[in-house]
Amino acid sequence: MIIGIIGAGAMGSGIAQVASQAGHEVILCDLHNEVLESSKNKLSKVMTRLVEKEKFTSDQADQIQSRITRTTDINSLADCGLVVEAVVESMEVKNAVFSQLENIVSDDAILASNTSSLSITSISKSCRVSERVVGLHFFNPAPLMPLVEIIPALQTKDEIPATLLKLMKDWGKAPVIAKDTPGFIVNRVARPFYSEALRILDEGLADVNTIDESLKEKGFRMGPFELMDLIGHDVNYAVTASVFKSFYYDPRFKPSITQLKLVEADWLGRKSGRGFYKYEEDGSKSYFKVESENDIQYSIAERIIAMLINEAADAVFWNIASVEDIDTAMTKGVNYPKGLLQWADEWGVTKVINIIDSLKQHYGDSRYRVSPILREMARSGKKFRS
Ligand code: NAI
């Protein structure tokens, strides 16, 4: 099957590499020749490195590169069996791309969007043959991150998720199925990692480095502030704001004014040399220190992990995905040290409930709501993963 990719930016280029490594002919389409040229050069550098590391022979590396054809003409996608759209995150642009595309490919070609935040159901609606449209959400960098979220729209034909599950496994990926709801799995369940850390900072309970270190001690590869600085505050804030709005302004997903200020100041993180940390030329980083005299009854890390577990449990409660898929999503998409529901089983749900109930009592804020599924499990003694 020939795979078409539209948009040769960070994501489209990565997905093209993955598909070609799996043996497919790939047609990569972008509006601009310079972008295609730059995508080609980057892949060539990556392949040189992978040959040095003996991941591929130089023959294999040549074949992977030669299987990708680059074009600015969308009509070249006519014979593709699957097209993955990875253009800019705008419903207007995506709708225009899909309506053009569906009159070029055959009616049984699968049309997938790599969107992180837009409704797949809404993208499908704009298509003439809407039942072949689906979400196929890769993580950055696509060649390295195993997770792929498959998101059927309301209209998607039943057999498409199963077809894509198999295809993604053949590509060496770890696919999961998620309901078409804001943030799908990862971008919904991960919100407290950032937002709870930001609240702890705003209250002056601890400084960024203390919070980061406390989570790294629990096995996270990066702390929330390091990670937000890496993702970029413009991107991270926009995702939070979009999830918040899509959930009808549920206080659980409320964005942080502190992070908004960083965006307004253009202190976007590593890419601007300054975010929560200031990045020096010599590679060191500094931060604003806080002397805290507060008596915290539970560790900072446990407060954040409890909120993450609650969010993951609530995703089970609302049938967003299966227990296994939610744990896979967080370990294979954002490198969490273990699945949050496995973590719940290890801690016992009573510990999570107690932490969140005490936050509720202290703040009186409805963002601290224990998911009903955790209370039910505490009553029944059931575990998520038996
Ligand atoms: P990007 O800005 O690096 O690349 C987008 C590319 O699409 C550009 O090269 C642009 O020239 C091209 N393009 C725009 N309109 C086009 C059209 N009509 N026809 C053909 N090409 C067109 O964006 P990036 O980061 O690769 O993101 C692409 C999509 O993937 C977005 O929907 C984004 O939300 C999603 N995504 C991004 C992730 C990330 O970490 N960057 C992670 C997962 C999903």
Side-chain angles (χ1 to χ4, degrees):
M1 177 167 60
I2 306 175
I3 308 292
I5 317 269
I6 310 189
M11 294 308 294
S13 299
I15 300 166
Q17 182 190 333
V18 174
S20 174
Q21 281 177 197
H24 295 275
E25 292 292 325
V26 178
I27 302 172
L28 179 58
C29 172
D30 200 284
L31 293 175
H32 309 290
N33 267 317
E34 315 84 79
V35 176
L36 291 167
E37 195 56 31
S38 146
S39 166
K40 184 177 179 183
N41 294 338
K42 279 186 196 146
L43 180 62
S44 156
K45 284 191 190 129
V46 168
M47 283 296 143
T48 307
R49 239 185 8 250
L50 291 177
V51 170
E52 278 164 15
K53 286 185 171 172
E54 297 184 353
K55 280 247 175 192
F56 296 114
T57 63
S58 57
D59 257 8
Q60 286 170 323
D62 289 347
Q63 282 164 18
I64 290 166
Q65 294 178 80
S66 67
R67 276 196 290 268
I68 304 178
T69 308
R70 295 176 181 80
T71 176
T72 52
D73 178 12
I74 194 170
N75 291 301
S76 312
L77 300 174
D79 298 328
C80 293
L82 165 68
V83 180
V84 184
E85 166 279 311
V87 304
V88 285
E89 190 74 340
S90 143
M91 186 59 94
E92 215 183 327
V93 177
K94 289 192 193 288
N95 281 345
V97 167
F98 274 87
S99 33
Q100 212 186 343
L101 180 64
E102 69 170 344
N103 294 319
I104 293 169
V105 295
S106 75
D107 278 0
D108 54 6
I110 299 176
L111 307 187
S113 173
N114 186 51
T115 180
S116 306
S117 65
L118 302 173
S119 158
I120 307 298
T121 299
S122 196
I123 295 175
S124 301
K125 188 191 67 176
S126 69
C127 292
R128 181 175 50 81
V129 189
S130 52
E131 64 267 23
R132 39 89 167 260
V133 176
V134 65
L136 194 64
H137 185 212
F138 289 80
F139 288 73
N140 194 9
L144 296 182
M145 299 309 286
L147 183 68
V148 181
E149 293 177 332
I150 298 169
I151 307 116
L154 225 51
Q155 306 94 324
T156 309
K157 249 192 302 209
D158 286 348
E159 60 263 33
I160 289 183
T163 305
L164 290 179
L165 266 179
K166 179 169 182 316
L167 186 70
M168 290 303 107
K169 283 184 191 158
D170 291 346
W171 290 12
K173 293 294 176 190
V176 296
I177 305 248
K179 206 168 175 175
D180 185 19
T181 47
F184 313 133
I185 304 175
V186 168
N187 280 334
R188 169 193 190 128
V189 173
R191 279 352 298 151
F193 190 64
Y194 315 110
S195 64
E196 206 52 31
L198 283 158
R199 282 182 69 114
I200 292 169
L201 176 74
D202 280 347
E203 269 189 65
L205 293 178
D207 53 40
V208 294
N209 193 58
T210 307
I211 301 170
D212 277 351
E213 290 305 317
S214 76
L215 282 147
K216 287 199 279 190
E217 270 170 31
K218 298 282 182 191
F220 288 88
R221 285 196 201 166
M222 295 179 97
F225 297 100
E226 289 171 326
L227 186 53
M228 283 184 273
D229 271 6
L230 181 70
I231 294 170
H233 294 289
D234 46 347
V235 174
N236 187 259
Y237 180 85
V239 175
T240 305
S242 149
V243 171
F244 181 52
K245 182 167 173 240
S246 306
F247 278 111
Y248 308 105
Y249 304 104
D250 183 332
R252 282 229 307 270
F253 300 106
K254 193 153 98 186
S256 148
I257 290 174
T258 303
Q259 192 178 28
L260 173 63
K261 291 296 137 188
L262 292 185
V263 176
E264 288 173 348
D266 254 343
W267 293 1
L268 301 179
R270 272 182 181 275
K271 61 186 170 190
S272 16
R274 182 162 197 174
F276 283 110
Y277 293 94
K278 196 165 169 224
Y279 298 88
E280 311 295 347
E281 298 262 307
D282 63 4
S284 65
K285 58 189 204 291
S286 55
Y287 59 95
F288 184 74
K289 293 192 176 60
V290 172
E291 297 302 331
S292 167
E293 288 172 12
N294 289 291
D295 175 24
I296 313 173
Q297 278 155 30
Y298 36 77
S299 84
I300 292 163
E302 287 187 343
R303 168 170 166 177
I304 296 171
I305 294 167
M307 289 298 279
L308 284 169
I309 292 175
N310 191 47
E311 207 54 63
D314 215 47
V316 178
F317 181 71
W318 291 108
N319 295 310
I320 302 305
S322 68
V323 167
E324 290 71 24
D325 279 2
I326 292 171
D327 274 0
T328 301
M330 304 318 284
T331 51
K332 306 280 188 192
V334 270
N335 284 326
Y336 282 13
K338 65 179 103 171
L340 293 166
L341 301 167
Q342 185 194 334
W343 223 325
D345 287 348
E346 286 174 19
W347 272 12
V349 290
T350 312
K351 175 169 171 173
V352 183
I353 293 173
N354 288 344
I355 293 175
I356 297 176
D357 276 346
S358 75
L359 291 166
K360 173 77 205 260
Q361 202 185 10
H362 184 69
Y363 295 102
D365 186 331
S366 64
R367 78 186 253 111
Y368 299 108
R369 300 195 301 276
V370 173
S371 174
I373 199 172
L374 291 178
R375 297 214 191 269
E376 179 51 38
M377 289 173 75
R379 271 193 293 274
S380 67
K382 276 201 193 130
K383 286 187 176 284
F384 283 108
R385 316 190 59 135
S386 38

